[in-house]
Amino acid sequence: MISAVMPNYARKDLAFVRGEGVYLVDGQGRRYLDFCAGIAVTALGHCHPHLVETLQAQAGKLWHCSNLYQIPEQDRLAERLVDATFADSVFFCNSGAEAVECGLKLVRKYQDDHGAPERYRIVTCAGGFHGRTLATIAAGAQAKHTAGFTPLPEGFDQVAFGNLNELRAAITPETAAILVEPVQGEGGVRPATLDYLRELRRIADEFGVLLYFDEVQTGVGRTGKLFAYEWAGIEPDLLSVAKGLGGGFPVGACLAKEHVAASLTPGSHGSTFGGNPLAMAVGNAVLDVLLADGFLDAVDAKARILWRRLEKVVVSHPRIFKGLRGAGMLLALECEVENTRIIDRLEESGLLAVAAGDNVVRLVPPLIIEEQHIDEAVSVIDRVSAELEHVSSI
Ligand SMILES: *Cc1c(COP(=O)(O)O)cnc(C)c1O
C-alpha cells in the first residue's frame, strides 16, 4: 500500500528531532555534523538565537495579512537587498522555483512591454537546475526531470555550460534572455569561470537581451560574497534567490534592475504567501547576521581553509577522489567510486553531505562553521576514505 506521503523522495532511514548550530540530533541522541544544511538552506545553522528570537517575537504579533495591505517588514527587506546589490526592486515568494518562475515571466513581460513580443526565448545551459515547476523543468531541460511531464512550456534553448561560441550561435531575434547559474549546484557544483560570466554580460549587451542569474543556491553568502556575481565584477539585469534567504524559513525573491522590474505592473503577478510578515521578519534577521561587519569576510576566510584541507584529503586518496571543485562553501569532491557509497559511510561516521550530479559529494556547510568543525569534517572524510580504500583493495 502506498505511504500517506507521496513516494517522490528516496528518503534515508534517519529522522532528526533537534538542531543545534552546525549539528543535527536524531531520536537516539546521535549528533551529526551538518554539511548538508538542508541543501544550502540553513546558512546560519540550526536554531540561531537571533533567528529564534525574531521568529518567536513576530509569531506573537502578526503572521500573515496578504499583499492587499502594506507590509513594512517586506519594504525593509527589499530596501536592504536593493542597498546591498545591483537591484532596484524585489518581488517576494516562497521557494526557488517560484523565484525563477517570476524571473521567467518578467523576462517575457519586459520584452513585450518594449515592443518585442517575438523575443520570448531564453538561452539556458546544459546541466542547469532551476526548480520543479513546468516552466523551470523546461528551463533545466534534464530528461530525468522532464520525463512524463510533456508538453512543457516552450521557449528554452540549451547550450553547453561554459561554451561562448555555442551561446552566441543560439541567440536569435527571438531571444529574450540568458539564464545561468554562476555555479551549477544540483548539476554537480560546476563553477563558471569569472571570464565566462563577464562575457555573458558583454554578449547580453551586444545582442540586447537580458542577463538573468539563478542564485537560488549560490546566493546569500554561500560563495563568500552576498551573491556570486560580485566575484566577476559585473551585474545581471535580474536574479533569483531563495534557499539561504530565510535560513530555513521558506522565502524566495526575484531581484531586478528598475527597467526590468517596472514591467511587473499591478495585477501582473502575485503570491498569496509571498513576503508575509513572519517570513520577512526572519529574512531581515538573516540579513542582520549576514551583513554584520566582517561576517562575509569570515565566511570567505573559512571557506579557503576548508578548500586547502579538502585538497589534501583528495590528493591523499586518489582511488576515492579525483578532484575538488566549487566556490566558497559550495564545494564538491569528485569521486572515483559511487558518490552515494561515500555519503552513506560519512553519515554512519556522523557527517552529513549531499549528492549532486556528475558523481560528486557536495559539501554545503552552514556559513557559521568554525575551524574546529572543518577539522572534524575533514578527519571524518579522511578516515572514511581510508576505510573505503582498504575495503576496495581486499
Ligand atoms: C534549489 C534550486 C532551485 C529550486 O528551489 P526550490 O526551493 O526547490 O523550488 C532553483 N534553482 C537553483 C539554482 C537551485 O539550486
Side-chain angles (χ1 to χ4, degrees), residues 9 39-41 94-100 128-133 136 180-187 213-218 240-243 250-252 330 362:
Y9 299 111
I39 316 190
V41 167
N94 316 284
S95 69
E98 276 178 282
V100 176
F129 179 79
H130 304 291
R132 299 295 203 116
T133 62
T136 55
V180 173
E181 294 163 86
V183 182
Q184 289 190 333
E186 300 305 309
F213 286 151
D214 181 348
E215 293 225 28
V216 168
Q217 190 153 163
T218 53
S240 292
V241 57
K243 291 195 166 86
V251 186
L330 174 54
R362 180 169 29 161

Side-chain angles (χ1 to χ4, degrees), residues 22-58:
V22 301
Y23 292 93
L24 277 169
V25 185
D26 72 10
Q28 283 73 53
R30 232 191 126 201
R31 289 162 70 80
Y32 295 81
L33 181 58
D34 187 8
F35 271 44
C36 170
I39 316 190
V41 167
T42 50
L44 302 182
H46 301 282
C47 299
H48 188 287
H50 184 55
L51 300 197
V52 172
E53 196 188 340
T54 304
L55 183 100
Q56 286 175 343
Q58 187 64 39

Side-chain angles (χ1 to χ4, degrees), residues 357-378:
D358 208 19
N359 199 38
V360 302
V361 172
R362 180 169 29 161
L363 301 170
V364 271
L367 306 180
I368 56 163
I369 52 165
E370 301 287 345
E371 250 189 277
Q372 76 206 63
H373 306 122
I374 294 175
D375 291 344
E376 188 182 336
V378 167

Side-chain angles (χ1 to χ4, degrees), residues 118-294:
E118 74 283 2
R119 283 193 180 270
Y120 71 96
R121 307 194 66 84
I122 299 177
V123 178
T124 62
C125 287
F129 179 79
H130 304 291
R132 299 295 203 116
T133 62
L134 281 174
T136 55
I137 59 173
Q142 297 205 34
K144 65 179 179 194
H145 296 147
T146 58
F149 294 113
T150 53
L152 299 174
E154 211 256 328
F156 297 95
D157 299 305
Q158 280 219 314
V159 298
F161 185 53
N163 187 324
L164 291 165
N165 289 335
E166 255 190 54
L167 182 103
R168 241 186 239 103
I171 296 176
T172 72
E174 295 186 340
T175 303
I178 302 166
L179 167 61
V180 173
E181 294 163 86
V183 182
Q184 289 190 333
E186 300 305 309
V189 189
R190 281 186 290 244
T193 65
L194 298 181
D195 277 339
Y196 179 71
L197 298 179
R198 289 179 196 124
E199 275 304 298
L200 290 182
R201 179 69 272 173
R202 230 186 43 69
I203 292 170
D205 291 341
E206 180 187 333
F207 288 92
V209 303
L210 297 174
L211 181 59
Y212 177 9
F213 286 151
D214 181 348
E215 293 225 28
V216 168
Q217 190 153 163
T218 53
V220 199
R222 182 52 55 192
T223 68
K225 300 254 190 217
L226 188 56
F227 289 101
Y229 74 81
E230 295 170 43
W231 289 108
I234 49 130
E235 295 184 338
D237 298 296
L238 69 166
L239 173 154
S240 292
V241 57
K243 291 195 166 86
L245 189 55
F249 199 94
V251 186
C254 184
L255 282 60
K257 289 274 201 197
E258 181 171 4
H259 65 288
V260 181
S263 285
L264 228 57
T265 48
S268 61
H269 191 54
S271 164
T272 296
F273 293 120
N276 84 10
L278 195 53
M280 295 297 96
V282 177
N284 273 305
V286 169
L287 286 196
D288 289 343
V289 177
L290 220 81
L291 297 178
D293 258 0

